[in-house]
Amino acid sequence: MLVVDVLAGGVRGGTAIMFAALGETLAERAGVVNLGTEGCMLVGALGGYAVAAETGSPWLSLLAGALAGALLGLVHAAAVLWRGADQFATGLTLMFLGLGLTSLFGAAYVGSPAPGFDPVPVPVLGDLPIVGEILFRHDPVTYLSFAVAPLLWFFLGRTRTGLLVRTAGERADVLHAHGHSPALVRAAAVVAGAGLAGLGGAQLSTAYAHAWFEGMTAGRGFIAVALVIFAAWRPLWVMAGSYLFGAALALAPALQARGHALNQFALDALPFVVTLVILAILGRRTLRAAPEELRRVFAR
């Protein structure tokens, strides 16, 4: 059934976007925009695939991908928070840096085999009609992702550390008055968020594509950044939106598998068209829900 295939593909294909978007949500709730999310995903994809190829352990590849993304995020945090660099310019520079690094060091892994994550149906649940196909016939990383959005929601809304992150994005002066460093809190959020983007990249290469090739993220990092605004900085909405964009990505192969002759370039552009349309509809209303410190960044 076409609808079931598209929705199942949306869950599987939207997982990498969700990891990246949740990471960007964390950073932006602390008051920092990271347009280098695409670069973080790229280095995570290559780092994860390379470690899987060299060690034979796909689980180590997830750790390597997260670490690679976090290191690139640390560069962004250092430049923006301690050197006063422009957030947008620095983020775009990091994106190109990630693209260049992965093109340079990833050439040796193009076409190289590496162990990855195969689909593992959940007993009983995987046999359910429709729901089983959509939710319970995926790889272990996709199952792991189901818990990330609720955990981030709980972390931001129900923990003291999450309160520090939100305060850094809303009223940094209050954080400073209580003896905390806004820069350190923001840096931790940016690095952790970039690590999640790197984890999304590792999922893309080791569980989704089972391959590494140059520029494989294909704009997913930018979709993730836009999705955070679309979801109004709410982790659970980010999860739903990620599956929506994942379904847009899954539509093309599902139609092609059924022999429909459609313009490939139009289908490839569909996720980005959806992004632009949603952002145009939401407009400034969503931006008013942004953290106070983030609104100042946009205003500048």
Side-chain angles (χ1 to χ4, degrees):
M1 187 185 300
L2 176 62
V3 174
V4 173
D5 288 347
V6 170
L7 291 178
V11 172
R12 184 165 172 260
T15 297
I17 297 174
M18 182 173 68
F19 277 123
L22 290 173
E24 181 63 10
T25 299
L26 181 61
E28 292 193 16
R29 289 299 293 266
V32 179
V33 178
N34 183 8
L35 292 183
T37 299
E38 178 86 357
C40 295
M41 291 188 73
L42 275 171
V43 297
L46 174 59
Y49 195 80
V51 167
E54 298 298 335
T55 67
S57 171
W59 291 104
L60 279 180
S61 73
L62 298 181
L63 180 61
L67 181 60
L71 288 175
L72 202 60
L74 182 60
V75 175
H76 184 62
V80 167
L81 299 173
W82 284 289
R83 302 304 300 171
D86 180 82
Q87 294 189 19
F88 298 111
T90 302
L92 289 174
T93 301
L94 283 185
M95 186 272 290
F96 288 113
L97 176 62
L99 181 60
L101 289 174
T102 54
S103 298
L104 176 63
F105 295 106
Y109 294 98
V110 175
S112 298
F117 295 94
D118 295 318
V120 180
V122 177
V124 181
L125 294 177
D127 296 327
L128 294 174
I130 301 179
V131 175
E133 287 187 63
I134 295 173
L135 294 177
F136 301 114
R137 297 183 187 178
H138 297 289
D139 59 89
V141 188
T142 300
Y143 296 140
L144 177 66
S145 72
F146 292 163
V148 177
L151 286 174
L152 183 61
W153 169 83
F154 181 83
F155 169 76
L156 288 172
R158 297 291 187 272
T159 69
R160 184 176 183 275
T161 306
L163 177 61
L164 294 178
V165 172
R166 289 187 289 116
T167 306
E170 295 288 353
R171 293 290 302 274
D173 54 335
V174 173
L175 202 63
H176 184 76
H178 285 79
H180 299 284
S181 169
L184 285 177
V185 174
R186 287 172 175 167
V190 170
V191 172
L196 280 174
L199 181 59
Q203 187 272 344
L204 189 63
S205 61
T206 61
Y208 184 74
H210 290 278
W212 159 257
F213 51 89
E214 184 178 335
M216 69 178 305
T217 51
R220 285 174 173 82
F222 290 110
I223 291 178
V225 174
L227 177 57
V228 175
I229 301 174
F230 156 62
W233 296 270
R234 301 176 184 178
L236 298 181
W237 287 27
V238 165
M239 186 178 190
S242 298
Y243 295 151
L244 170 65
F245 288 109
L249 290 169
L251 181 61
L255 289 173
Q256 290 173 342
R258 286 164 173 78
H260 295 285
L262 298 174
N263 188 294
Q264 180 62 44
F265 297 105
L267 291 174
D268 289 342
L270 182 60
F272 303 97
V273 172
V274 171
T275 302
L276 290 172
V277 169
I278 291 176
L279 289 177
I281 292 173
L282 295 177
R284 293 184 177 272
R285 289 176 297 174
T286 301
L287 291 179
R288 285 197 289 268
E292 179 65 29
E293 297 292 334
L294 202 61
R295 288 203 295 270
R296 294 178 185 176
V297 173
F298 290 145
R300 288 197 297 268

